[in-house]
Amino acid sequence: MSTVTDYNVFRGIFSSSSSSAIWSDKTRTFYYLQFESALATVQGRFGIIPHMAASEITKKCNVDLIDMEELERETRKIGYPVLPVVKQLVRMVNEVEPGLGEWVHWGATTQDVTDTATILQLRDTCDLVSKSLKNITCILREFARTHASTPMAARSNLQQAVPISFGFKLARLLATFERHQIRLAEILPRLLVVEFGGAAGTLATISNTGVALQVQEELAKELGLSAPEIAWHTERDRITEIGSFFAMVAGTCAKFALDVKLLMQTEVGEVSEPYYAHRGSSSTMPQKRNPISSVYITAMASTVKQLGAALFDAMVEDHERSTGPWEIEWIVLPQICTMTHAILTHTHEILDGLEVRPEAMRKNLDITKGAIASEAVMMQLGRLFGRQVAHDLIYDLCQKAAREDRPLVDLLSGNENVLNAGVTRKELELWCNPANYMGLSKEMTLRVTDPARP
């Protein structure tokens, strides 16, 4: 399938070599063969198929022995890639001894092999995601602690709200990624389950052996998976759940990317993506340094979320084996998985080299000439003559400060109500200093970043 993740020019941006390898034809076929090898091994152990057959099948389950061009031709003709692989495997084992290859794929069906291979590919993808989440949280933890007391403006409706610390902003992101780590740990036991039930999931083909469920259990162990409580050919919640998780992770990265883009604006300039020569340069405006990784994260996250929605359609499958919805997974899972890992990679790269400008943060805090701390003043004056009265007074003074381009503290110190309340200029200056009104930014940041925190 030709997507942007396959293009030579873009595959290092919208994918990664490690994730692409997982979803390649070779890896998928490798896992088909791993299933067939494990099945033959277990069935030979239980005496369901001859020991010699089991041994030779295992020997021939080598992806380098598969003719990939033949596999492509036969898949186009048959419609599924499993049977062409099985036919090649049967042929190779029959070359050792005529008829021995007929024990290949004993009691299995195409979807058993396909679903199990998909689970193994998802397992490998989750390993990549888990490592990325660990790397990101490690960087965020140190970054947040470093800037636990670095003052900046919080934004509400894209307007300056109240002061916070930059570490507080990062700690919230850290806490979100830590929740994703917990979610992934909870999902994996539900996801990493073998599929082996035969035509309609009842194991009818080997039910007369008396050990059918034991074969299923041992097959799962051979593959490092768990046995299902019952067949799940057309119950696709496992797949949809992991796809939804990837969409959530992508969404978190996109929220971070959006904040970076906004903070990178020329008029704000509080952070920048990592710099190296010509990164984000314009073809016609030499002065520009555009966000790049954040842009890619935004685009890919939106795509992952849209593709993830298709997995909900894939859940609506007819009866015991479906006619079409299952194949939706074949189309969207490779893109969801490769782009999710790429998103995490870009996020890690931004964090690893993020340029932080505390001086710009302080400069922007001073734009309103103390008005950003108006809530602090309101709460102090509210104790003296009521919160609503104080609110209306500060509101009027903030409007006047903006019109006349004057510091709020000057207007407060000349206000009759404030003077009558006995408030000194020194007190007003303390209240109007944004750095004195960051609430528990530092304490909350240190709580989240505490190494002893579970």
Side-chain angles (χ1 to χ4, degrees), residues 115-169:
D115 279 351
T116 302
T118 298
I119 292 298
L120 293 171
Q121 289 173 292
L122 286 169
R123 177 201 62 191
D124 294 350
T125 301
C126 287
D127 285 344
L128 293 180
V129 169
S130 179
K131 291 174 184 174
S132 293
L133 290 174
K134 182 179 180 180
N135 291 336
I136 287 170
T137 54
C138 284
I139 292 177
L140 276 171
R141 190 169 291 107
E142 290 304 312
F143 224 157
R145 289 183 70 87
T146 298
H147 292 284
S149 299
T150 302
M152 71 175 298
R155 272 86 177 183
S156 171
N157 291 318
L158 292 179
Q159 307 299 304
Q160 288 196 2
V162 295
I164 58 172
S165 74
F166 185 53
F168 174 76
K169 190 177 187 71

Side-chain angles (χ1 to χ4, degrees), residues 348-361:
H348 178 269
E349 289 174 352
I350 292 174
L351 286 167
D352 196 36
L354 188 68
E355 297 180 6
V356 183
R357 301 188 181 89
E359 69 285 354
M361 294 177 178

Side-chain angles (χ1 to χ4, degrees), residues 95 100 172 299:
E95 288 173 356
L100 202 60
R172 286 165 27 228

